[in-house]
Every structure is written in structure tokens, then in C-alpha cells.
Amino acid sequence: MTVSHLRRFISAIRASIAFVLSATAFAEGPDFNREVRPILSNYCFKCHGPDDRTRKAELRFDFRESALRKSDSGAKVIEPGKPDASEMIARIFSTDPDEVMPPPSMKKDLNDAQRDILKRWVAAGAIYEPHWAFVKPQRAAIPKSDFQNPIDAFVQARLKKEGLALSPETDRASLIRRTSLDLIGLPPTPEEVDAFVNDRAPDADERLVDRLLASPQYGERWARRWLDLARYADSNGYEKDRARNIWPYRDWVVRALNADMPYDQFTIAQIAGDMLPDATPDQRVATGFHRNTMLNEEGGIDPLEFRFQAIVDRVATTGATWLGLTVGCAQCHTHKYDPIPHREYYQLMAFLNNADEPDLDLPPPDAAQQIAGREKRAEKLLRELPDKWPVGKGAEQSNPAGAERQREIVGRKFSEWLARERARTVRWTPLIPASVKSNLPLLTVQPDASIFASGDISKSDTYELAFAGVPRAITAIRLEALADARLPAHGPGMTYYEGPKGDFFLGEFQVAADGKPVRFARASQSYAKNNFGSNPASAMAATDGDPQTGWSCAGRMGETHEAVFIPERPIDAAKLDVKMLFGRHYACPLGRFRISVTTDARGAEARETNDEIDALLLLPDAHLTGAQRGNLHEHFLLTAPELAAAAKEIRDLRQPPAWETTLVLRERPAANPRATAIHNRGEYTQPTEPVQPAVFSFLNPLPATAKSDRLGLARWLVSPENPLTARVAVNRAWAAFFGRGLVRTTEDFGFQGDPPTHPELLDTLAVEFTEQGWSMKKLHRSIVTSATYRQSSRVTAEHLAKDPENTLLAHFPRKRLDAEIVRDAMLRAAGLLSLKMGGPPVKPPQTEGVSEVAYGSPKWDASAGEERHRRSIYTFVKRTAPFAFYNTFDGPTGEQCIARRDVSNTALQALTLLNDVVSIEAAQALGRLLAARAGSDDERIIEAYRRVLSRSPRADEWPPLRAFLNAQRQRFTAGELDAKAIGGPDADAGRAAWILFARTLFNLDEAITKG
């Protein structure tokens, strides 16, 4: 260290000591994080915060050094300990509209209390503190308490400061209902209530909690909350909003939560499961979390633009889900409040931007047996194929003489076919490219001379291939479109956006010989079908100079096809250049292909054959083995027009089975990385400076040994050094139980978010969460066994006066049930609910016309049987026409990440509970159960109450209940109501009255409220 460096270092130390000593001399001021920063953030940061694009006067209030500088007038903006000498204080107290801050144009005036806080803060030294959420949580000392659970100790200590106390414990029937709804999303049965109420053993409560945590329904209940964050849906979104297959991801979430997969592993699997060593199918399925982004299939889109929008969504979702930050605000500019620079937003994006988006095949456990069974059946059908050759009328085929005649005809036809095919079979020479290039996809030459395309595709892709040292006098060029398991739907195309997956559209096939264009006389193809418009698809159309016409093989994905092009004259050149134009109608280049040539003077034509058969056809009869001749005979039978229908079944059996698939991520190969750039104003069309992956500088750094990829990002998120992830997860769980998080803004832990009501409790829970192995079940158990959770929900006048929003938790907060739980609870009370787990989504009944508002007016064909009444987590989620019942009760649409659902209270909800198809079916089922039950009316009323509300009626409820039931019976007797219209074709007045009674119970506030 030089002398000058040493002097500077000593000077800095002295300045720091002087500052600390002076700070201690100031009077104690307001709490910076709780009182001061929210004011600065709300009123000052917009013009004097992190965003240098909108910053005024080069003054920042988000860090101290800038706030202490001199203003243009020469006075210090903030003079610690001297508010009267601080221009900031002068400005906020000014009455001059040209001087006052915030300026009148903002229409955000400080009130007297806020001005006073800032003045006292400056008087106390204007001390800045790090934002509480950006500091690693520490376990706090547990206050002395009457309770063993630390949760209660912290809550009780906070209540004591306000002269309040926890409410008494709720009654046992309410407790089991509350706990059951929270842990498994279903109300308890009357039998479960009785067992718990009558169980007075000391460990009864804990055994209840353990039973519910071990229930398979636990994973379903908590998976639904996670799917809000994952923006899960069973359709693509945007205009066409076609169905997608991603339910295996949903089922993975259920299984993971039931297995109590540690939250850190749960996180890593979803962000980067495919990158784990020897990744299992489950770990790859888990990456479906970020495949839940919407997919635009409209004609005319640029697929790259909407891929960019998908990555933007993934960045925002990652920030909200794990960091509790509004990261998306930095897409267009530096965040106006939180310390997220514009550059760092795109550095975070770079972690997520290097993944491809394939479909993953999911063979069932018995896949090998299924394949063996298909092969066995194919062999049987193949042996029977000659007997199906049409040779005459029934009598000829039903006797030995007719069968012999049939075999003779098949043998003769085979000989004729063999001669014909040998006459037109040519020897093809595959060409190995000297160079390959494209506008975007990565073209890689394979060992068999084929070219495999990978990476991104655009609306209009161009492939250019150069071949040197080609044979002379070329009479035909063959283009093989090859199937490949790596491609969407196994290819041969790369289409995965607008058209059918695996399709392609070759608009132009252009060849130059020694630089001169080659003109084609004719072309043929083994198969062609156009997926759009009225233009027929053909290989010749790919040579007409019009890229709007061309060759396509729609409808037969996963198969190999070929096109053969015949030049007007033989090509005699040393070098061939081939240019292929794809797209125009939609993004659809070839995924794997091969180019071969022949010099046979006869030319050639496309055929449904393969290289193995062609090689055998080129051999003389005398050189064929019995097995080779059998192969030729088999190919003849399978391609004979006379046997087309029967042969198709055999070919289908030999195709790879159509397993279930799901959407996953797959890291791109190192040879083809995707670059990330800053985008000016967040515009896709305005990329500027390239950036490399990096985490936010205001949080813990990425370990030096970690790779800067998705797996590195995932591990960074769940690092013990990350101050946010555990806090955010714990707070979200707390909000699920109490209706409000310890931080009310569960989606925002930044400067604009609310401070925690119980910061020491939040931090202690976060530390315990990580130290106990990131176990969600342990966290949930700790919460629901606390006295805070078990207390009564009765509100007293004192509570309302001192804490009207119940932020201190002096009583348990009543909260309306989530939309899905409202439906599931009704179905369970009615005896209709199916507990069948997993599988493809189902469509419960709903009013006609709901789904028809979507593109194409799709019908909502309600599922039948057990599927009709599956749990709500399995309901088909169509983004542009969400299930009406859930939508009414604030259920998400899957269009964006939802960290906190709105909870509304509308008249439409009451009408839905009375008149929706779901409600009516549940009421009819419960009404029939009650009518069929032996016993008195009072016993039936008790049964209804216990099913719907988990309790018996109170004394004051009996008179109106009996009066209502009798009134309905009288209305039926008087002909005012039609029993069959209310209860169905088999309903009489007795059943219908109980159905109306059930409808009324389902409409009670208590029925849809957790209290």
C-alpha cells in the first residue's frame, strides 16, 4: 500500500468514527425502515430514485451519500441533525407551488404526520438502514410467554404492547373444520367431527394435524395454491387458445408436496431439473413450471417475439415466486423504487434465456409390454395379410381351392411388383455438405449425411447448403424429410407454434450448379398434404418461384417422406448449391433431412420405400437370401393399394406409440448458445448491448464455483445466504392460513411493499424453515398447532377499536374460501366428490355459453360419471374462457403469476351459489340424501348442518329452519313450485323441499367461510 493510499484509508476510518460518534449524539428518531423509507419510496423515488432516466436534478434519496450533497442553492439537501438547515425539509414544508416537494403536478401531497416523521428523522441524524428484506434473516430471541410454540410467544408479546391478548381457543368442531379446510382443502365429514370432538386424549389435536398432513388430499390443496404462482392452465392463451398437455406437471406438484419434498429441491427441480446429473423423467417434468407461459398461435406472428415475451414472463414470475419482488418493473427501465438496474434485469433474464422448449414423451410403466404386444399383433396381421387380397366373391375365398387360387394371385402380383420396382429403382448417393448455414436454426451434419436443425426458428427460414465434388451427369435429386425423436411430434418438421407440431412447409427448393440456376422438368413426392388454404401441396410447387406454394406432409407426422426433383437436363458440375425457403404461412422449417443424387439415365421418382428395400431391389434374384426376399414380400404387401386398409393398421402398430407428452425445458447445447441483450424500453425490436448472466448486486453473490446457468440460478435462489427466498415462502404459507401475510404484500418485499407486522417472528420462522430441511409440512404443522391459529374467530368491541384490521391477530380472521374449495366442499357435503387423483383435466358441468365466447366458439362438453365430480384442481383451465364458477369467486385464469388472490364479495356470488349448475347438482344430491334418510325433520336438518357447516344448529336457528322447510312444502302443495323443475324427473314435493333447503344452506356465508 502506498503512502497516499494509507493516508486515504486512515482519513476514511476517522470520518466513519466521527460519523458514528455524531450519530449517537442525535435524539432517537423514527424507525427508518418502518416509517421513513415508505415515505421516501412513495413520494420521492419516482424523481429521485434508482432510475437515471427519470431522475431530477441528479439527486437520489435511495442512498445517503447523494442525499447529503449540496443542492443548486448551495445548501445541503439533508444536513444531519439540522432540519432547519436542510433544503429537503424546507421544500416539504414550503407553501410556494414552485418550491414545494413533492410538486403539485404529482398530486401526492405529504400530510402533517409524514412531514413530521421526515423532520424528526433528519434531526436524529438522517440515519439510513439497509432494507429489512435484503438482510439475511436472523433467529430472534423468543419472548417470555405462556406458550410453548414460539409463534405464540412473538404474537403475545406484540399484543401485550397494545393492551390486547389472544382470544380463547375455538370450539373443537370449528377447529377441525378450520384445520381440515386449510390442510386438505375439504371440510371434515360428520364422522370425523364426532371422532375429534369426543377424543380428549392430550395428543388428539396433534394426531389430527398429522393425519391431515399425511392425507393424499394435502398435496392437492397446496398444489392449487402453487399453480397460482406457476400460472398453470390447460390451454395456450391468446387468440386461438388451443388445448395444451401440461397436466403431468400439475400431478408432479401434487406428488412432490405429498412427499414433503424439501422446498429447496422443489425449487431447483422446477427451474433447472433437466440440468441435474442423470436427470430423471420427474425432474424434467418439473421444469414445466416455466413452460406454463402463454403461447401465441395466431397467423402472422413472429415466433421469436413471443418467445421473448415468454422469457419476460419467466423473469417476472421467478422474481415474484421466490424473491417476492416486482422484478418485471425493470424490463423497460431501471426499477423506480427497488435497487434493480435495467441492466441487471437482463442479466437475470440471461439465466433463463438459454433453454429450448421441447415436448417430453412420457411412456407408461408398462411401455415395454405395450410395445411387445403391438409387435406381436402386427406380426399376426402381417401373416394374415395375403389372405385379404381381393380375388373374387365370397365362395371363392371360403374353400381350399379358392385359398390356393388367392395365393397364386398374390405370388403373381408380387413378381409383377418386383419387376416393376426393379425397373425404376436407382442407386442414390447421399451428398455430404461442404458447408451449411441458415438464417437462425443451427444446422448440424449427422454421420449418415443427414442434416439436423436445432435451436430457434423464425417466420421465414432459409437453409443454404454447398456440396463440392459431386457426381457428374446428375439426373435426379432426392430430398428426404426424416423423422427424428428429437423433433416436435418426432418431425420431420420443427413446427411447434402456429401449425401442427412436427409439420414443415417447403416453399422453394432452389439448386445452382457451378453458380448457374437449375431448372426442373418435373418433381414427385411420396406423400403430400397442405395444412392451410386451398393450394394443393406438391414437390413441383416448391420449384415454381412462388414461396406461397410448396411441399408439406401435414397429417403424417413422425414418418419419413421424400421428394424427387428431375432437372430439365442432366447436371454436370463440380459444385452444387441448394437453397431451401420455409415458412411464409407459419414458422415451419425441416428438422432433419438428407439430400442424395443419382446419375441413372432413367431418372427417378419418389416412392414410399427406404434405403434397405432399395438396396435389395438392386440385387438380382440369385443373390437374395430367403430373409431378404421375405423383406421384399412384406414391403410389397404393406404398400399394395389392394391391401391399403389392412396394411395401415400394421404400419400404425409399428409406429412409436402415442404416449402422453408434457411441456418441459431443455438447456441448449454449448455449441449453440442463445445471446441475451438489453432491450431499449423493453422492446423486442430494440436489442442493444449484449449481457452475460448475473444475479442482482444488492443480494448475495453467486458463489465463485457456481456456473452462470439456470442450475446456478436455482441454487442461488435457495442458498442459505439469500435473504428473501425463505421469508417469501414462509410469509406465503402464513397468508394461506390467516388470510393475510405477516407481510401483507406477499408479492412485494421491496421498498413499496408493506413492512412485516411481526418482523422477529417472520425471520425466526424463515431461519427454522431452512434449518429444518425446508420442510413445508413442518412449517404448516408449527402454524396450525399454535394457539394463535387455534383461537376463536369471535370479534370483540375492544379488538375492533384497537386493531380493526386484526393485524396483531387478537382473534382468528374469518376468510372466504378459495373458489375451488367452495365447489369441493359442496360436492363433499352432497356425497358427490370423487377423490380420484391425477390424470388429464376434466370438464365439470357449467352453464351453456361460457366457453363459446372464446375463439371458434368451442363447446364445453361436460365430463360424465366420476370425472364430472373430480376435485377442482383437475378442472380444465381455458385461459380465454375460465370456468365460470371459479372466476366468480376470484379464481385465477392462468394468464399471469398470482402471488395474492383478490377476495371479493359480490351479489353474483350469491346468485351462483343458488343457480349455477354445480350448485344445483350438489343441492339435488344432498336433498335426495336428506329425503331418503330415516328419522324426523329435525334429525335431517341436523344431518344437513353437519354435512355443510360441520356443526348442529344453535337454539336460535331452529325456528327459522323449521319455518323455511314447512313454507317450501306448502308452496309445492299450493302449486306455486314445480317439484320436477327443481329436483329432476324423479322428484316429488318431499324431495324438492329438501333440495331447496340444501340450496339455502350452501348459500349461507358460513358455508363458504373459514372461521
Side-chain angles (χ1 to χ4, degrees):
M1 180 181 289
T2 65
V3 173
S4 61
H5 281 121
L6 182 60
R7 285 173 179 167
R8 252 182 260 152
F9 177 72
I10 294 172
S11 176
I13 293 294
R14 285 173 176 169
S16 299
I17 294 172
F19 170 74
V20 171
L21 292 175
S22 64
T24 60
F26 297 131
E28 184 177 351
D31 182 274
F32 179 76
N33 270 318
R34 188 176 298 276
E35 299 176 86
V36 178
R37 195 197 303 273
I39 299 174
L40 297 178
S41 181
N42 283 325
Y43 294 90
C44 306
F45 283 5
K46 183 176 181 181
C47 300
H48 303 294
D51 189 357
D52 55 6
R53 296 191 181 211
T54 58
R55 191 180 306 126
K56 308 293 185 184
E58 288 305 312
L59 172 62
R60 297 180 63 168
F61 282 119
D62 57 323
F63 67 93
R64 195 172 194 268
E65 289 75 8
S66 176
L68 297 187
R69 73 171 179 78
K70 288 185 178 180
S71 68
D72 293 340
S73 66
K76 274 197 172 183
V77 177
I78 293 178
E79 181 73 57
K82 299 178 181 179
D84 293 340
S86 302
E87 184 162 348
M88 172 194 184
I89 302 302
R91 289 290 194 100
I92 66 174
F93 279 93
S94 174
T95 57
D96 184 343
D98 294 329
E99 296 289 330
V100 68
M101 288 290 166
S105 60
M106 284 189 63
K107 298 181 179 179
K108 291 182 72 174
D109 297 332
L110 292 168
N111 59 38
D112 291 342
Q114 291 167 327
R115 294 188 189 96
D116 180 65
I117 288 172
L118 292 179
K119 185 174 182 178
R120 289 189 292 111
W121 170 62
V122 173
I127 305 301
Y128 276 71
E129 296 173 359
H131 184 53
W132 66 270
F134 302 157
V135 178
K136 183 180 176 181
Q138 301 292 327
R139 186 190 298 274
I142 300 174
K144 291 184 179 180
S145 170
D146 304 327
F147 303 97
Q148 292 184 345
N149 192 318
I151 290 173
D152 303 319
F154 286 107
V155 173
Q156 185 185 49
R158 184 77 176 86
L159 286 169
K160 281 183 177 180
K161 290 182 180 180
E162 305 298 329
L164 294 170
L166 289 171
S167 295
E169 185 172 309
T170 190
D171 65 272
R172 294 184 69 73
S174 295
L175 181 59
I176 186 176
R177 175 179 171 83
R178 177 190 301 172
T179 310
S180 185
L181 287 169
D182 271 339
L183 290 182
I184 66 171
L186 296 172
T189 65
E191 295 74 21
E192 289 171 339
V193 173
D194 288 343
F196 179 69
V197 168
N198 295 324
D199 188 349
R200 295 298 180 179
D203 64 342
D205 297 5
E206 293 187 354
R207 282 190 285 107
L208 166 68
V209 172
D210 290 340
R211 175 176 67 79
L212 294 173
L213 289 172
S215 167
Q217 283 68 58
Y218 167 86
E220 293 174 323
R221 185 278 190 275
W222 288 92
R224 181 54 265 180
R225 296 194 69 87
W226 184 259
L227 296 182
D228 284 13
L229 297 163
R231 64 268 192 247
Y232 176 87
D234 296 296
S235 68
N236 288 330
Y238 294 110
E239 178 207 31
K240 291 183 174 60
D241 199 25
R242 293 190 180 104
R244 61 169 50 172
N245 216 54
I246 197 166
W247 59 263
Y249 165 75
R250 175 248 289 154
D251 286 358
W252 176 86
V253 175
V254 173
R255 293 195 304 272
L257 292 173
N258 273 332
D260 198 21
M261 178 183 287
Y263 188 71
D264 58 343
Q265 296 179 28
F266 186 67
T267 294
I268 291 169
Q270 291 181 85
I271 292 181
D274 60 304
M275 301 178 70
L276 292 170
D278 300 318
T280 65
D282 261 10
Q283 288 168 333
R284 297 181 66 191
V285 168
T287 62
F289 177 87
H290 270 321
R291 286 301 307 278
N292 279 302
T293 46
M294 295 200 296
L295 180 70
N296 196 334
E297 301 173 283
E298 295 179 50
I301 68 159
D302 181 347
L304 295 177
E305 178 180 2
F306 281 93
R307 200 202 65 79
F308 173 77
Q309 298 302 339
I311 302 300
V312 165
D313 171 70
R314 289 169 190 168
V315 175
T317 297
T318 300
T321 301
W322 282 282
L323 300 176
L325 296 176
T326 55
V327 172
C329 295
Q331 176 192 348
C332 305
H333 49 71
T334 290
H335 202 294
K336 291 188 179 297
Y337 305 102
D338 297 336
I340 306 176
H342 190 46
R343 165 183 290 276
E344 291 190 10
Y345 171 90
Y346 286 97
Q347 289 175 330
L348 184 68
M349 175 184 280
F351 284 107
L352 302 170
N353 196 29
N354 200 41
D356 287 329
E357 303 179 352
D359 289 5
L360 176 67
D361 287 336
L362 296 174
D366 64 341
Q369 295 93 313
Q370 286 191 36
I371 292 173
R374 291 166 65 92
E375 291 175 348
K376 185 176 180 180
R377 174 159 176 76
E379 290 301 317
K380 177 178 181 295
L381 292 175
L382 184 62
R383 289 193 300 272
E384 297 171 352
L385 206 51
D387 298 333
K388 297 181 179 179
W389 194 284
V391 295
K393 296 189 177 178
E396 188 176 20
Q397 298 185 38
S398 62
N399 58 71
E404 181 65 28
R405 169 68 177 153
Q406 187 164 348
R407 284 191 291 272
E408 291 177 5
I409 292 176
V410 172
R412 186 178 72 249
K413 293 290 185 183
F414 172 56
S415 298
E416 293 171 357
W417 173 86
L418 199 56
R420 185 170 62 251
E421 289 301 309
R422 279 176 169 160
R424 62 178 188 157
T425 298
V426 302
R427 192 178 302 278
W428 292 102
T429 301
L431 298 183
I432 301 175
S435 67
V436 293
K437 67 176 182 177
S438 79
N439 61 308
L440 191 61
L442 175 67
L443 303 182
T444 307
V445 180
Q446 306 294 295
D448 63 354
S450 67
I451 295 95
F452 183 77
S454 61
D456 294 328
I457 62 176
S458 73
K459 186 74 176 178
S460 182
D461 289 315
T462 302
Y463 293 174
E464 296 180 66
L465 302 91
F467 302 95
V470 297
R472 297 285 179 164
I474 294 171
T475 57
I477 301 175
R478 181 176 70 172
L479 170 63
E480 294 174 273
L482 302 168
D484 192 292
R486 295 170 289 181
L487 298 171
H490 295 186
M494 291 181 72
T495 299
Y496 59 89
Y497 270 97
E498 303 155 86
K501 289 185 178 180
D503 195 10
F504 70 93
F505 183 82
L506 175 62
E508 284 296 297
F509 183 80
Q510 301 170 352
V511 177
D514 288 340
K516 297 178 181 179
V518 172
R519 296 175 61 87
F520 293 104
R522 65 183 187 277
S524 59
Q525 66 284 325
S526 58
Y527 171 77
K529 184 179 180 182
N530 199 344
N531 186 59
F532 57 87
S534 57
N535 295 332
S538 71
M540 194 63 193
T543 68
D544 62 3
D546 181 3
Q548 302 294 328
T549 63
W551 181 42
S552 179
C553 295
R556 286 179 61 177
M557 305 301 100
E559 299 180 29
T560 291
H561 310 284
E562 68 176 40
V564 173
F565 302 90
I566 308 296
E568 288 183 346
R569 59 182 59 85
I571 301 171
D572 195 7
K575 181 174 180 291
L576 278 186
D577 293 300
V578 175
K579 186 175 184 179
M580 293 186 282
L581 279 63
F582 302 95
R584 305 299 178 186
H585 298 280
Y586 53 93
C588 48
L590 271 169
R592 188 180 176 198
F593 61 95
R594 180 168 51 216
I595 291 178
S596 306
V597 298
T598 185
T599 57
D600 195 302
R602 297 168 298 169
E605 64 181 55
R607 295 146 55 225
E608 289 212 31
T609 181
N610 55 58
D611 290 345
E612 180 186 357
I613 295 299
D614 280 355
L616 295 179
L617 289 169
L618 291 170
L619 292 176
D621 261 351
H623 292 179
L624 289 173
T625 67
Q628 290 173 331
R629 189 174 182 83
N631 288 343
L632 286 170
H633 190 262
E634 177 182 315
H635 185 76
F636 155 70
L637 293 173
L638 291 174
T639 56
E642 295 87 345
L643 298 173
K648 182 180 184 303
E649 183 178 359
I650 297 173
R651 287 200 304 272
D652 290 345
L653 287 168
R654 288 180 168 180
Q655 286 293 317
W659 308 128
E660 290 287 358
T661 63
T662 192
L663 310 179
V664 297
L665 293 179
R666 179 179 63 208
E667 193 72 354
R668 292 164 71 94
N672 189 29
R674 184 184 286 121
T676 303
I678 298 171
H679 286 252
N680 182 45
R681 294 183 174 273
E683 290 287 348
Y684 161 70
T685 56
Q686 297 185 39
T688 57
E689 181 185 352
V691 293
Q692 296 300 315
V695 298
F696 293 147
S697 59
F698 67 93
L699 295 176
N700 53 302
L702 197 70
T705 57
K707 289 186 177 180
S708 296
D709 55 21
R710 264 189 302 125
L711 184 56
L713 172 66
R715 289 172 171 160
W716 172 80
L717 286 171
V718 293
S719 163
E721 301 305 311
N722 191 306
L724 286 166
T725 302
R727 277 192 181 113
V728 170
V730 164
N731 187 66
R732 203 160 45 226
W734 188 275
F737 289 109
F738 292 97
R740 173 189 175 120
L742 294 168
V743 176
R744 183 185 64 86
T745 51
T746 55
E747 73 286 356
D748 189 359
F749 275 50
F751 293 168
Q752 288 291 94
D754 286 7
T757 56
H758 300 74
E760 296 85 1
L761 171 58
L762 176 62
D763 281 11
T764 299
L765 287 175
V767 172
E768 288 187 352
F769 182 47
T770 57
E771 290 181 353
Q772 293 181 356
W774 297 86
S775 168
M776 292 301 298
K777 286 190 175 182
K778 287 180 181 178
L779 172 64
H780 293 171
R781 192 181 194 280
S782 177
I783 292 173
V784 300
T785 56
S786 69
T788 304
Y789 178 82
R790 292 152 55 88
Q791 63 185 326
S792 169
S793 60
R794 190 175 69 87
V795 184
T796 67
E798 184 183 20
H799 293 164
L800 284 177
K802 292 186 175 182
D803 185 18
E805 294 188 8
N806 195 33
T807 58
L808 304 180
L809 297 169
H811 60 85
F812 186 82
R814 292 171 57 82
K815 179 180 177 289
R816 202 209 65 219
L817 301 176
D818 290 343
E820 297 85 354
I821 299 179
V822 172
R823 174 178 172 269
D824 291 350
M826 292 170 64
L827 294 179
R828 186 173 221 200
L832 294 175
L833 184 67
S834 164
L835 294 182
K836 177 182 175 182
M837 297 181 67
V842 296
K843 294 183 176 180
Q846 66 174 335
T847 304
E848 289 186 10
V850 173
S851 63
E852 285 82 348
V853 302
Y855 175 88
S857 301
K859 291 289 185 183
W860 183 271
D861 296 321
S863 302
E866 181 183 19
E867 305 294 288
R868 188 180 185 92
H869 300 125
R870 298 277 304 280
R871 283 200 75 172
S872 295
I873 190 174
Y874 302 115
T875 297
F876 185 90
V877 181
K878 187 172 181 66
R879 285 179 161 123
T880 56
F883 191 63
F885 189 98
Y886 307 149
N887 201 37
T888 301
F889 287 93
D890 310 307
T893 63
E895 293 171 285
Q896 59 186 352
C897 171
I898 300 295
R900 177 171 48 141
R901 287 194 190 186
D902 292 329
V903 180
S904 64
N905 190 352
T906 68
L908 182 58
Q909 292 170 356
L911 291 171
T912 297
L913 290 174
L914 282 174
N915 301 312
D916 189 87
V917 180
V918 170
S919 308
I920 290 174
E921 281 196 0
Q924 288 176 338
L926 179 55
R928 290 190 183 97
L929 283 174
L930 297 174
R933 186 190 188 282
S936 64
D937 282 353
D938 284 0
E939 290 173 320
R940 293 188 177 101
I941 290 174
I942 292 172
E943 173 77 6
Y945 251 64
R946 283 160 54 79
R947 281 176 169 268
V948 178
L949 306 178
S950 304
R951 67 174 178 85
S952 297
R954 295 186 297 267
D956 61 327
E957 293 175 317
W958 277 109
L961 291 174
R962 292 168 179 147
F964 175 82
L965 185 60
N966 290 331
Q968 304 317 308
R969 286 172 174 157
Q970 290 171 11
R971 294 175 71 190
F972 283 116
T973 302
E976 296 177 16
L977 296 174
D978 184 345
K980 293 187 178 352
I982 292 172
D986 64 339
D988 55 23
R991 290 196 191 95
W994 283 109
I995 289 170
L996 288 179
F997 186 85
R999 284 175 70 180
T1000 304
L1001 280 189
F1002 284 140
N1003 202 259
L1004 293 176
D1005 177 72
E1006 186 179 347
I1008 61 169
T1009 303
K1010 180 189 70 175

